[in-house]
């Protein structure tokens, strides 16, 4: 959000469900000298009151994967956009079915209770009124980044165990793997 406010010189409204993260965000915004361009609404995007047909654009980066039911969030976002407003979403989707043990681990570690395939995800978005103009599959890029992250993480094993303990290290290692 601060990148957009600084780079494009636009006003930004963020929605954050965790008050502590909102406070950290406000402090970072202050340090960047962008307080006049940035505000945070504390609440759940599924139901936080947003001004109707107010925003030109909405951006969701790795947010919707954490929701058990994304439909209210899509509807709320759609209603807050001006006619012709654009939505940019980057999120995780399923590229193949998970085994139950994998799904349980993703839900527990990542907090992603309802990952779906790309067709189902697009249907959710369209169901709220959006028209999908384009999509881009970032799987090859993310696969490479994840492999590099896993390798770095395991190379720094001792540091992670010292910092977080063996149990947390192993849970994160399994997730990254």
């Amino acid at each position: 959000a601060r990148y957009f406010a600084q780079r494009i010189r636009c006003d930004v409204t963020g929605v954050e469900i965790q008050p502590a993260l909102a406070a950290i965000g406000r402090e970072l915004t202050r340090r960047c000298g962008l307080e006049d361009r940035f505000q945070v609404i504390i609440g759940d995007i599924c139901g936080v009151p947003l001004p109707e047909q107010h925003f030109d654009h909405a951006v969701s980066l790795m947010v919707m994967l954490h929701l058990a039911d994304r439909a209210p969030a899509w509807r709320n976002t759609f209603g807050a956009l001006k006619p012709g407003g654009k939505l940019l979403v980057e999120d995780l989707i399923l590229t193949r079915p998970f085994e139950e043990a994998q799904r349980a681990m993703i839900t527990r570690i990542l907090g992603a209770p309802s990952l779906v395939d790309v067709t189902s995800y697009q249907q959710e978005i369209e169901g709220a009124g959006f028209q999908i103009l384009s999509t881009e599959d970032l799987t090859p890029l993310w696969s490479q980044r994840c492999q590099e992250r896993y390798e770095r993480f395991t190379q720094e094993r001792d540091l992670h165990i010292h910092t977080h303990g063996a149990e947390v290290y192993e849970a994160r290692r399994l997730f990254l793997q």
Side-chain angles (χ1 to χ4, degrees), residues 4 8 35 39 65 75 87 100-101 104-105 107 111 114-115 147 150 152-153 157 162 167 170:
F4 291 128
I8 302 169
E35 308 97 301
Q39 70 168 327
L65 70 110
R75 287 191 304 269
L87 169 67
E100 189 53 40
M105 182 173 55
T107 300
S114 61
L115 294 181
Q147 181 62 36
Y150 176 75
R152 229 178 13 259
F153 186 80
R157 176 186 179 275
H162 176 74
E167 185 177 335
E170 185 58 22

Side-chain angles (χ1 to χ4, degrees), residues 20-173:
L21 287 182
I24 291 168
R26 282 191 191 102
E27 176 59 20
L28 289 173
T29 301
R30 185 193 64 73
R31 291 180 184 187
C32 294
L34 295 169
E35 308 97 301
D36 61 326
R37 297 202 164 276
F38 191 84
Q39 70 168 327
V40 176
I41 298 171
I42 298 175
D44 184 337
I45 190 61
C46 291
V48 67
L50 297 173
E52 287 292 314
Q53 298 186 354
H54 179 77
F55 300 102
D56 296 309
H57 302 91
V59 177
S60 173
L61 300 175
M62 305 302 282
V63 172
M64 300 301 195
L65 70 110
H66 298 293
L67 304 178
D69 180 11
R70 288 176 287 277
W74 297 130
R75 287 191 304 269
N76 200 20
T77 303
F78 184 80
L81 286 171
K82 294 177 183 175
K86 303 269 191 296
L87 169 67
L88 170 70
V89 178
E90 183 174 319
D91 216 345
L92 297 181
I93 54 117
L94 291 178
T95 57
R96 65 184 185 281
F98 279 149
E99 295 174 11
E100 189 53 40
Q102 290 172 311
R103 183 173 288 281
M105 182 173 55
I106 292 295
T107 300
R108 185 182 76 253
I109 295 173
L110 186 60
S114 61
L115 294 181
V116 295
D117 61 73
V118 68
T119 301
S120 299
Y121 199 92
Q122 289 174 338
Q123 288 172 346
E124 289 178 9
I125 294 169
E126 290 171 332
F130 290 102
Q131 176 186 5
I132 297 175
L133 301 177
S134 67
T135 62
E136 182 178 357
D137 183 356
L138 299 175
T139 302
L141 175 65
W142 275 102
S143 294
Q144 179 184 344
R145 285 183 179 169
C146 289
Q147 181 62 36
E148 291 166 0
R149 184 176 178 194
Y150 176 75
E151 289 170 5
R152 229 178 13 259
F153 186 80
T154 57
Q155 289 169 359
E156 297 171 346
R157 176 186 179 275
D158 293 341
L159 172 64
H160 292 293
I161 289 175
H162 176 74
T163 305
H164 303 288
E167 185 177 335
V168 170
Y169 169 81
E170 185 58 22
R172 288 183 181 168
R173 188 195 66 77

